[in-house]
């Protein structure tokens, strides 16, 4: 299932970064989790949220965290 999720994100947004070995708690239930970061332009936020919902349904989750902040990432082309 994880490889399918990665493939979906890759197809939709061209890339992502994962952070493993996270642990979270939801209503007192502690469980391992994984964070996936996807950098998208402002006009793609709704599309990304739709993909997050799709992933949540596939994982049979009641809710999914979606963290959004000010842009703090810049893609620097190595060769111009």
């Amino acid at each position: 299932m994880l490889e399918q999720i990665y493939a979906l994100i890759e197809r939709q947004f061209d890339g992502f970064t994962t952070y493993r070995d996270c642990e979270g708690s939801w209503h007192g239930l502690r469980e391992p989790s994984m964070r996936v970061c996807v950098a998208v332009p402002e006009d793609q936020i709704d599309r990304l949220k739709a993909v997050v919902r799709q992933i949540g349904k596939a994982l049979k989750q009641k809710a999914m965290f979606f963290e959004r902040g000010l842009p703090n990432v810049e893609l620097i082309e190595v060769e111009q």
Side-chain angles (χ1 to χ4, degrees):
M1 173 67 76
L2 198 52
E3 289 304 319
Q4 293 169 322
I5 291 170
Y6 291 160
L8 172 63
I9 295 170
E10 185 73 35
R11 272 194 317 275
Q12 295 291 321
F13 304 105
D14 296 326
F16 59 91
T17 301
T18 60
Y19 299 91
R20 296 177 186 250
D21 299 327
C22 300
E23 185 175 295
S25 175
W26 179 254
H27 293 271
L29 177 64
R30 294 180 68 137
E31 61 185 0
S33 65
M34 182 178 63
R35 182 177 290 215
V36 177
C37 287
V38 181
V40 297
E42 185 73 24
D43 65 345
Q44 296 295 311
I45 296 291
D46 288 339
R47 192 166 134 230
L48 178 56
K49 285 182 177 182
V51 169
V52 170
R53 284 186 192 94
Q54 187 178 358
I55 292 167
K57 285 180 184 178
L59 296 174
K60 298 182 171 125
Q61 298 292 305
K62 289 185 177 184
M64 299 283 284
F65 283 98
F66 185 88
E67 186 175 335
R68 178 179 169 188
L70 295 174
N72 62 358
V73 175
E74 180 180 349
L75 184 62
I76 300 172
E77 297 291 336
V78 176
E79 294 185 29
Q80 295 182 358

